[in-house]
Amino acid sequence: MDEEKIGFGLSMRLISKKDDKLLLLQRPNKRFHDQGKWEFPGGKVKKDEFFDEGLKREVFEETNLNIKILGFYSACEDSFKSCKNNQNIKSINLAMYGILDKGEIQLSNEHMNYGYFSKEEIKKLDREGKLTLIASKLLKSNNFNF
């Protein structure tokens, strides 16, 4: 019997607040999935990389800013098909509270826009289907507690 191959991964996300609003980044329309949707900064942790270092690296790559991690926010699981090889992937997503260094955000080509959103604005984005599934799951798993 052929067993289905499943890949596993870990992603880290940053929950960063400024004036009671959370930072979200908007995926570009040219990406394979989640086109135009809003997400928290972060991404996949590399093999043999510490979780916190992976989050710091990903946020720096996406915003050109360093971060200070303050603590745990929430976690959730995701399942999806890889765009690269059509493999089924199971992913754990950890979200941490953190602070961005002062300075101006300079987005990489992974995102086309950024913004700070209030709790009500984020709930509206979620109702309208404008958040990535992971952003929605992380917020709901902690009952939009920020």
Side-chain angles (χ1 to χ4, degrees):
M1 176 189 286
D2 245 358
E3 286 191 32
E4 179 183 7
K5 290 191 178 186
I6 298 176
F8 296 92
L10 172 70
S11 290
M12 300 291 296
R13 298 289 168 181
L14 176 70
I15 307 296
S16 181
K17 192 164 54 167
K18 178 179 177 183
D19 300 325
D20 285 331
K21 294 183 176 189
L22 295 183
L23 172 66
L24 295 175
L25 307 179
Q26 188 178 27
R27 296 181 60 82
N29 291 325
K30 64 183 182 208
R31 300 296 283 189
F32 294 111
H33 57 86
D34 292 331
Q35 294 179 355
K37 292 193 176 185
W38 293 88
E39 66 181 352
F40 294 108
K44 295 178 189 86
V45 175
K46 293 179 180 179
K47 183 180 176 184
D48 297 327
E49 185 175 43
F50 288 109
F51 298 172
D52 60 336
E53 293 303 316
L55 180 57
K56 289 175 183 179
R57 176 187 50 75
E58 281 287 340
V59 172
F60 183 80
E61 288 173 4
E62 294 174 351
T63 66
N64 203 42
L65 294 177
N66 293 308
I67 64 169
K68 178 179 179 184
I69 299 172
L70 301 176
F72 176 77
Y73 175 80
S74 188
C76 70
E77 183 181 33
D78 188 28
S79 297
F80 59 94
K81 282 218 181 267
S82 169
C83 299
K84 294 177 184 173
N85 60 15
N86 211 31
Q87 181 182 25
N88 288 320
I89 305 288
K90 291 207 178 274
S91 176
I92 298 297
N93 295 267
L94 298 177
M96 307 296 287
Y97 284 114
I99 301 170
L100 289 165
D101 274 353
K102 289 188 180 359
E104 190 171 324
I105 293 175
Q106 296 174 21
L107 294 176
S108 70
N109 63 358
E110 291 182 50
H111 296 94
M112 66 180 183
N113 200 0
Y114 73 93
Y116 287 90
F117 296 86
S118 69
K119 189 180 288 190
E120 292 310 313
E121 291 168 327
I122 291 174
K123 285 180 179 181
K124 183 178 182 211
L125 288 172
D126 191 34
R127 285 191 305 272
E128 294 172 349
K130 295 181 180 176
L131 288 181
T132 63
L133 181 60
I134 294 305
S136 180
K137 281 183 174 184
L138 287 170
L139 287 167
K140 289 175 182 170
S141 68
N142 206 2
N143 200 26
F144 286 88
N145 185 21
F146 66 88

